[in-house]
Amino acid sequence: MLFLHFMKANQSLHIVCFQNPYPPVYGGVIDVYYKVKALHELGVKIYFHCFVDEKTPDISALENLTEAVYVYRRKFKFFKFFSRHPFSVVSRYSTQLYKNIGAIDAPILCEGLQSSFLLHKHAFPHRKKILRLHNLESNYYSGLAESESNFFKKIILKSEAKKYANYQRVIARFDRVFTLSLFEQEYVKIHFGNGVYLPVFHGNTRIPDLPEFGDFAFYHGDLRLSDNRKAVAFLIEVFKNKPNYNLVIASSQAAAFVKKLSEGYTHITYVALKSQNQLDTLLASAHINVMLSFQQSGTKLKTINSLLKSRHCIINPNMVDDLQIQALCTVASTAEDFSQAIDDLRFEEFTEAHILQRKQLAETLLSDQKNAQTILNYLEE
């Protein structure tokens, strides 16, 4: 177990989030949920505001970590698609949010640009204002558009990317921006001067002592996203030439998509993900994790989870740009690079030295407690 002790704080904080982060089942909400948990453990009094699509979201886990939880329905009004601002931003604003924030004098942390329209419309001149920048959304949506094969979805994504390119000037309204990657930190530093790199919050408090060998190569991801579907197509082409080594692809979506691409290749299988425990079991059973992205945006949390819960990791440079994390992975770019790396690692033992490297990383750069303390230190300046 990784135990770190810090002084309890007496600090209040509003957090405005793009959606309910519980259960923490994908990158963006995992970062939010475990950030809230770590700040709560430091004694921060959190007033949590989130936008939701459903009528009755489960907020019970958040209630145990916060002073109060405020829920707002997203506004899916057709005319908002014609706003000069991104739809994913303007659909996340509420006058009640403004009133609730105004009623309690505390700093404001916006999770992602999607949650920032409050600060676009209202200055809050005497409050500290913080942005957790999950992506440079103009790059993110542009990358999704490039990977999208559906013509109409591609047009929508390109429009959103163009709107974000203008809207990103809102970053100047924040006193501090905590970025997920060094690339984004450098962008914010150059254009706005207020960026600080703060690695992803992930919730891993124990590094498992795994046997020397796992059973298969593994990919997992949300296959509703065009970038992930493109990654799966890439990996299937690589593994078609490796009939004696199994690739397992896990997702909660798009079984038909995977099965169509891998038809006739019995060593490539799809697993329907239904729970975090199931994913953890798959990670513990995998010998090689193969991961890539076709867009440079943020840090992909699957890299962190695979490093801290599994064995060998092969990534391309777009997955993470922190050299301390890259150093524990095999970095590949082309299909030939991936193929060679798989051949090299297939029979390579996962040793105690690998486990110790990951434990050290989890106790330093990737410590949720230490990274939450960085936020608290800024709030208390």
Side-chain angles (χ1 to χ4, degrees), residues 251-280:
S251 181
S252 60
Q253 306 282 339
F257 168 78
V258 176
K259 291 175 181 178
K260 181 179 179 180
L261 290 180
S262 60
E263 187 175 3
Y265 296 89
T266 57
H267 66 295
I268 303 174
T269 57
Y270 172 86
V271 174
L273 277 181
K274 297 179 180 178
S275 70
Q276 184 62 46
N277 287 339
Q278 181 192 14
L279 175 58
D280 289 347

Side-chain angles (χ1 to χ4, degrees), residues 165-176:
N166 292 320
Y167 180 76
Q168 280 166 186
R169 288 176 291 183
V170 75
I171 293 172
R173 293 177 177 252
F174 291 89
D175 304 300
R176 182 65 53 87

Side-chain angles (χ1 to χ4, degrees), residues 79-207:
F79 70 87
K80 291 185 180 293
F81 281 103
F82 300 99
S83 170
R84 63 189 178 93
H85 302 303
F87 177 79
S88 52
V89 171
V90 295
S91 61
R92 289 180 171 95
Y93 176 74
S94 165
T95 54
Q96 189 59 50
L97 168 65
Y98 170 66
K99 292 176 183 177
N100 290 337
I101 296 265
I104 299 171
D105 187 11
I108 305 166
L109 167 59
C110 289
E111 291 287 352
L113 284 169
Q114 300 99 317
S115 304
S116 67
F117 206 51
L118 173 77
L119 273 300
H120 174 80
K121 291 177 71 71
H122 308 286
F124 292 101
H126 303 298
R127 308 273 192 103
K128 282 187 175 179
K129 296 172 284 291
I130 305 167
L131 175 66
R132 174 52 150 176
L133 188 63
H134 289 255
N135 288 299
L136 285 175
E137 300 295 345
S138 57
N139 290 8
Y140 176 70
Y141 278 93
S142 180
L144 290 180
E146 288 300 315
S147 298
E148 182 57 61
S149 57
N150 181 286
F151 175 77
F152 294 104
K153 289 182 180 179
K154 185 185 287 284
I155 294 299
I156 291 170
L157 291 167
K158 284 185 176 181
S159 173
E160 198 78 346
K162 185 176 181 180
K163 290 178 180 180
Y164 265 116
N166 292 320
Y167 180 76
Q168 280 166 186
R169 288 176 291 183
V170 75
I171 293 172
R173 293 177 177 252
F174 291 89
D175 304 300
R176 182 65 53 87
V177 179
F178 290 112
T179 70
L180 273 174
S181 75
L182 293 167
F183 167 75
E184 287 150 358
Q185 186 268 342
E186 186 65 17
Y187 173 89
V188 174
K189 181 180 177 181
I190 290 172
H191 291 87
F192 305 102
N194 55 354
V196 174
Y197 170 53
L198 191 68
V200 66
F201 290 79
H202 51 83
N204 293 296
T205 58
R206 178 181 173 275
I207 308 301

Side-chain angles (χ1 to χ4, degrees), residues 66-78:
T66 63
E67 298 297 302
V69 179
Y70 305 88
V71 176
Y72 314 90
R73 289 292 299 275
R74 282 186 69 188
K75 298 175 181 178
F76 291 98
K77 304 291 186 181
F78 182 73

